[in-house]
Amino acid sequence: MPVGPAAHGTAPTAADATVGLAADYFQTYSVVGLLAVLGVLFVAVAFGAGRLLRPVVPTPEKLLTYECGVDPVGEGWAHTQVRYYVYAFLYVIFAVDSIFLFPWATVFADPGYGATTLVEMFVFLGFLAVGLLYAYKKGVLSWT
C-alpha cells in the first residue's frame, strides 16, 4: 500500500524528494558509524581477552628495557645529528610532489584543461625548485 502523496493520488513534490535524499544521506552515514562502532568494539574485545588470558608474572628481567638483545648500559640520552631529520623532510617534500603529479597527469589528459594544468604544474614545480635551491644554498644537501 503506497504511503505519502502517492497514496492520495497527488504527484510527489520537490520537498518529498529532498526528504528522501536526506534519509539516504543519513542512512549511508549510519552504516559508516555502525562499522566504526563495530571496529572499536572488536579492538576492545581483543585487548580485553588478551588481558584476561595472559599470565602476569613480573620479574626484574621482564621490567628491564630491551634493545636488540643488548643490555642497556649508560644513560638513555643520545645525540642525533639534525641533518638526518632534514633529509627526511626533503624526502617527504618530494614524496608529496609525486603524489600531486599523478592526478595532474590524469587531468592534463582531459580535453580543455591542457594549457591551464600545464601552467599550474610548472608553478608548483617552480616552488619545489626554489625550496630545493634554498636547501642547496644553505648547505643542507652536502653529506659531511
Side-chain angles (χ1 to χ4, degrees):
M1 173 174 237
V3 179
H8 303 292
T10 61
T13 62
D16 294 331
T18 304
V19 170
L21 286 175
D24 289 342
Y25 178 78
F26 288 117
Q27 181 181 3
T28 56
Y29 274 110
S30 65
V31 170
V32 171
L34 179 64
L35 284 175
V37 168
L38 286 175
V40 169
L41 186 64
F42 180 76
V43 170
V45 167
F47 275 112
R51 187 176 186 105
L52 290 175
L53 297 175
R54 73 175 180 236
V56 180
V57 185
T59 62
E61 290 82 20
K62 287 183 180 179
L63 298 176
L64 188 66
T65 303
Y66 179 79
E67 182 67 36
C68 300
V70 179
D71 290 334
V73 177
E75 59 185 53
W77 294 98
H79 297 285
T80 305
Q81 296 289 332
V82 173
R83 68 173 172 247
Y84 299 121
Y85 294 111
V86 174
Y87 289 123
F89 286 137
L90 287 172
Y91 170 76
V92 168
I93 288 170
F94 288 105
V96 169
D97 173 35
S98 65
I99 290 171
F100 283 118
L101 284 175
F102 288 111
W104 169 77
T106 58
V107 171
F108 184 69
D110 289 343
Y113 289 105
T116 305
T117 55
L118 187 64
V119 169
E120 288 174 353
M121 188 47 62
F122 276 117
V123 168
F124 178 69
L125 291 174
F127 281 123
L128 287 176
V130 167
L132 185 61
L133 182 66
Y134 176 77
Y136 177 75
K137 291 287 186 181
K138 285 294 204 177
V140 172
L141 300 178
S142 62
W143 188 276
T144 57

